[in-house]
């Protein structure tokens, strides 16, 4: 049986979210390798060099794990494309159903296309999809206090700041504090969804 809401393709203007394909290996490696300085300080400490872990040959293992997690319903791992090019990733992971029906969103985008609203658009698409088709009720995002660009993403979308988690995740070589943000289905129900809200915010 397929997991609720997976696989899926989501679109808004030039932003498309889709499952990864085997043929993404070369572009994925090029983008990840070009963005080591931009991404490493916000990601889990890798058990090897950045270059090795983001080689085209490593993508096979990444893809296998993402597909397994998607099929089992533990995650919705989307490749983020902009004007047809692979430029980032947005995943809902750690999905727990039953009485919780919640998951954690994580994301990154190529520095060369940062600042164009790609990730707010992608996150709004995924939140609406998770609530409408994925059977989820709540999406959380946990962000290091010093990561102002990422905090701007959730603040522009109107996520609620709910918690301060000391030494929460092992990121870039140490246990780092995180601010917990969340949004629930009720928060956007009266507005026609989070993408509709984002369009209103972005057009102001
Ligand atoms: C956080 C991130 C995903 C935001 O994605 P994005 O598509 O650029 O989002 P936005 O276009 O809404 O920009 C968000 C903020 O980034 C900053 N920004 C804008 N242009 C920028 C640029 N060229 N370079 C760096 N930061 C920029 C601004 O503060 C902007 O907020 P504003 O709209 O109030 O001006 C992206 O900065 C990124 O990939 N960072 C590295 C990985 C990361 O931090 N992941 C999240 C971990 S919680």
């Amino acid at each position: 049986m397929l997991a609720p809401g997976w696989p899926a393709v989501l679109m808004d203007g030039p932003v498309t979210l889709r499952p990864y394909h085997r043929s993404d290996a070369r572009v994925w490696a090029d983008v990840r390798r070009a963005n080591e300085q931009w991404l490493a300080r916000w990601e889990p400490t890798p058990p090897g060099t950045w270059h090795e872990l983001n080689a085209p040959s490593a993508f096979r293992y990444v893809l296998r794990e993402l597909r397994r997690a998607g099929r089992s319903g533990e995650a919705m791992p989307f490749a983020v494309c902009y004007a047809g090019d692979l430029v980032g990733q947005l995943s809902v992971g750690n999905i727990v159903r039953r009485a919780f029906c919640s998951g954690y969103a994580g994301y990154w985008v190529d520095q060369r296309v940062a600042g164009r609203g790609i990730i707010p658009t992608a996150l709004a698409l995924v939140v609406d999809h998770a609530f409408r088709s994925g059977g989820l009720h709540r999406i959380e995002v946990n962000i290091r206090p010093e990561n102002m660009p990422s905090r701007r993403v959730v603040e522009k979308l109107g996520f609620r700041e709910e918690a301060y988690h000391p030494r929460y995740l092992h990121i870039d070589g140490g246990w780092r504090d995180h601010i917990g943000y969340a949004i629930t289905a009720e928060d956007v129900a009266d507005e026609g969804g989070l993408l509709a809200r984002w369009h209103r915010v972005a057009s102001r």
Side-chain angles (χ1 to χ4, degrees):
M1 200 182 89
L2 293 175
W6 190 258
V9 175
L10 313 174
M11 267 180 251
D12 184 61
V15 177
T16 302
L17 279 75
R18 59 162 175 79
Y20 279 107
H21 307 146
R22 245 187 310 181
S23 57
D24 290 325
R26 168 62 59 189
V27 176
W28 175 85
D30 287 350
V31 172
R32 296 277 308 169
R33 284 174 162 181
N35 280 276
E36 178 174 358
Q37 298 303 319
W38 172 246
L39 299 178
R41 63 186 289 231
W42 311 118
E43 296 207 355
T45 314
T49 70
W50 187 271
H51 200 72
E52 287 161 6
L53 291 163
N54 293 289
S57 55
F59 183 71
R60 189 174 357 146
Y61 305 104
V62 172
L63 182 62
R64 187 189 300 163
E65 172 52 22
L66 294 179
R67 282 186 170 162
R68 185 206 60 75
R71 272 197 296 264
S72 70
E74 287 163 47
M76 295 183 205
F78 289 100
V80 176
C81 301
Y82 183 67
D85 296 329
L86 176 62
V87 294
Q89 181 170 316
L90 195 152
S91 295
V92 179
N94 287 334
I95 292 176
V96 176
R97 297 184 187 273
R98 296 175 68 91
F100 197 36
C101 290
S102 186
Y104 291 56
Y107 43 73
W108 59 265
V109 74
D110 188 333
Q111 184 174 15
R112 293 166 289 196
V113 293
R116 300 184 194 185
I118 295 172
I119 292 298
T121 303
L123 184 56
L125 280 165
V126 167
V127 166
D128 285 345
H129 176 71
F131 291 165
R132 289 170 186 160
S133 308
L136 300 187
H137 169 251
R138 183 166 183 275
I139 299 291
E140 283 184 37
V141 183
N142 292 292
I143 303 177
R144 291 177 63 178
E146 57 271 49
N147 191 344
M148 290 313 297
S150 186
R151 290 175 63 184
R152 284 295 300 145
V153 168
V154 291
E155 285 165 7
K156 287 188 288 187
L157 291 173
F159 277 62
R160 211 173 13 259
E161 184 177 327
E162 291 191 338
Y164 192 86
H165 306 291
R167 300 173 296 286
Y168 189 56
L169 294 173
H170 201 273
I171 299 289
D172 191 29
W175 291 102
R176 310 294 182 189
D177 294 1
H178 282 70
I179 301 174
Y181 295 86
I183 196 162
T184 61
E186 294 83 356
D187 293 329
V188 288
D190 293 343
E191 296 176 59
L194 190 55
L195 187 66
R197 178 194 282 180
W198 168 238
H199 283 163
R200 279 193 292 276
V201 170
S203 65
R204 274 188 211 138

